[in-house]
Amino acid sequence: MTGLNQASHWGVVSNPTPEVRTLSLPEVTPVEYRRNLVKLAACELRIPTLLEFEEKPPAAFQHALRKEYPHYEQGQALTGVGPGGVEGETRHILRSRHRNYAIVFRASAISLEVSKYEGFNEFFRRLRQVVDAARNVIDSDFFTRIGLRYVNGLPTGPDPRGWVTSDLVRPLEVGVLGTVNRYWQEVRGSAPIGDYSFRHGYRGDKETESAEYLLDIDMFIEDIEVDRCLELVDQLHTQSFAFFHWCLGRKALEYLGTGTPKATIAPQKK
């Protein structure tokens, strides 16, 4: 048995750990464009589960935000199917006066969502309010996960050429797939900060003039101290913007118009 090491003799092969490569995109300074294509912007702050919040949100949290979020409603979010049937989780929703912003409070997470996006500076201002209000009621000094998600809709119609980078739509450009009714892909990986989930394509019928090509970018990171939350959300936004910018073609950039640099974010108060 000479010439064989013991590991090989017993059939054990030592494989090196594969290198984990992170998202690598050109650096871009985030800007606020004259137009935006945002259909949904959301930041979710997951917390260690507190079952008492299943019944109602903490009064101190609701009171702190009541001036800007006077409307309250309650709903159920489906979480799966268990032995007893469909399982759900209570959602306490605080909506802004004009109902375009919503704070969703669950036993395991708090999220800020907006359907009529006014820019990152306004979104971040409101997120700071949420974090400040949550700090004293979640009974934790860390978030189990923070995620920043943007869903943009590009008004491409049935032809994405010029709107979306060819790296994403080459099969559609060359026509190898024929007439496509649905084109939807998902990619997950590591980023320089945290991880990402990227979904893109046409969710509905592509062959219509009103068809939109969706770019759904979710950046997230786990186990974050509350005091570092806003700093990291700002960094996740910079990553997300670079990803979004990489996805765009010439027509999309022309449609968005001139951009002005994002304002500097003030440090988080402790």
Side-chain angles (χ1 to χ4, degrees), residues 179-200:
T179 299
V180 174
N181 297 320
R182 190 173 188 270
Y183 182 79
W184 189 249
Q185 298 178 328
E186 179 174 3
V187 182
R188 296 188 181 190
S190 297
I193 299 174
D195 298 283
Y196 72 89
S197 170
F198 174 48
R199 295 179 289 182
H200 67 97

Side-chain angles (χ1 to χ4, degrees), residues 23 28 30 43 120 124 127 146-148 150 191-195 217 219-221 224 227-243 262 265 268:
L23 184 67
V28 181
C43 183
F120 183 68
F124 194 86
L127 180 63
I146 60 175
L148 182 65
Y150 281 92
I193 299 174
D195 298 283
I217 302 170
M219 295 281 177
F220 57 93
I221 188 169
I224 298 301
D227 289 339
R228 293 198 63 208
C229 168
L230 294 176
E231 168 197 346
L232 286 167
V233 168
D234 188 32
Q235 294 177 26
L236 292 178
H237 175 259
T238 298
Q239 277 189 169
S240 181
F241 182 87
F243 205 149
K262 182 183 75 173
I265 300 299
Q268 183 171 352

Side-chain angles (χ1 to χ4, degrees), residues 3-260:
L4 294 176
N5 60 35
Q6 189 171 359
S8 298
H9 172 67
W10 292 106
V12 178
V13 179
S14 177
N15 292 321
T17 302
E19 178 187 1
V20 177
R21 294 188 297 173
T22 62
L23 184 67
S24 178
L25 298 169
E27 290 188 11
V28 181
T29 300
V31 298
E32 302 283 0
Y33 289 112
R34 183 168 53 85
R35 291 175 171 170
N36 80 66
L37 300 166
V38 178
K39 301 179 74 66
L40 171 71
C43 183
E44 183 187 62
L45 311 171
R46 294 187 186 174
I47 60 177
T49 302
L50 280 169
L51 296 179
E52 63 192 82
F53 294 157
E54 273 288 321
E55 297 299 323
K56 61 181 180 180
F61 180 83
Q62 186 175 6
H63 180 75
L65 297 165
R66 180 176 173 81
K67 184 175 181 180
E68 289 205 50
Y69 300 88
H71 304 292
Y72 170 78
E73 59 191 72
Q74 183 175 309
Q76 288 286 320
L78 299 181
T79 58
V81 179
V86 177
E87 298 178 346
E89 185 177 24
T90 303
R91 302 166 74 239
H92 306 283
I93 306 171
L94 309 178
R95 295 194 184 277
S96 61
R97 179 179 176 182
H98 299 294
R99 299 180 183 273
N100 52 325
Y101 283 88
I103 298 170
V104 182
F105 198 109
R106 297 181 284 127
S108 58
I110 306 168
S111 62
L112 173 66
E113 303 173 0
V114 59
S115 56
K116 294 183 179 179
Y117 191 66
E118 301 172 283
F120 183 68
N121 294 330
E122 175 62 13
F123 184 81
F124 194 86
R125 180 188 73 82
R126 290 175 178 268
L127 180 63
R128 188 189 295 274
Q129 292 177 328
V130 173
V131 173
D132 288 344
R135 185 186 300 273
N136 297 322
V137 300
I138 62 174
D139 194 27
S140 174
D141 58 3
F142 72 98
F143 293 115
T144 58
R145 180 186 186 274
I146 60 175
L148 182 65
R149 181 185 178 197
Y150 281 92
V151 181
N152 284 270
L154 279 61
T156 63
D159 186 358
R161 286 177 295 184
W163 285 94
V164 185
T165 176
S166 293
D167 291 332
L168 295 178
V169 295
R170 197 172 306 280
L172 299 179
E173 291 179 339
V174 300
V176 66
L177 299 178
T179 299
V180 174
N181 297 320
R182 190 173 188 270
Y183 182 79
W184 189 249
Q185 298 178 328
E186 179 174 3
V187 182
R188 296 188 181 190
S190 297
I193 299 174
D195 298 283
Y196 72 89
S197 170
F198 174 48
R199 295 179 289 182
H200 67 97
Y202 294 100
R203 290 299 300 267
D205 188 356
K206 170 183 173 294
E207 300 301 317
T208 64
E209 291 302 319
S210 61
E212 290 185 316
Y213 194 98
L214 298 181
L215 303 172
D216 185 345
I217 302 170
D218 187 6
M219 295 281 177
F220 57 93
I221 188 169
E222 298 181 342
D223 193 17
I224 298 301
E225 294 178 2
V226 172
D227 289 339
R228 293 198 63 208
C229 168
L230 294 176
E231 168 197 346
L232 286 167
V233 168
D234 188 32
Q235 294 177 26
L236 292 178
H237 175 259
T238 298
Q239 277 189 169
S240 181
F241 182 87
F243 205 149
F244 170 68
H245 190 270
W246 173 79
C247 294
L248 302 180
R250 174 184 53 81
K251 290 182 180 179
L253 291 170
E254 291 175 353
Y255 179 87
L256 288 166
T258 305
T260 56

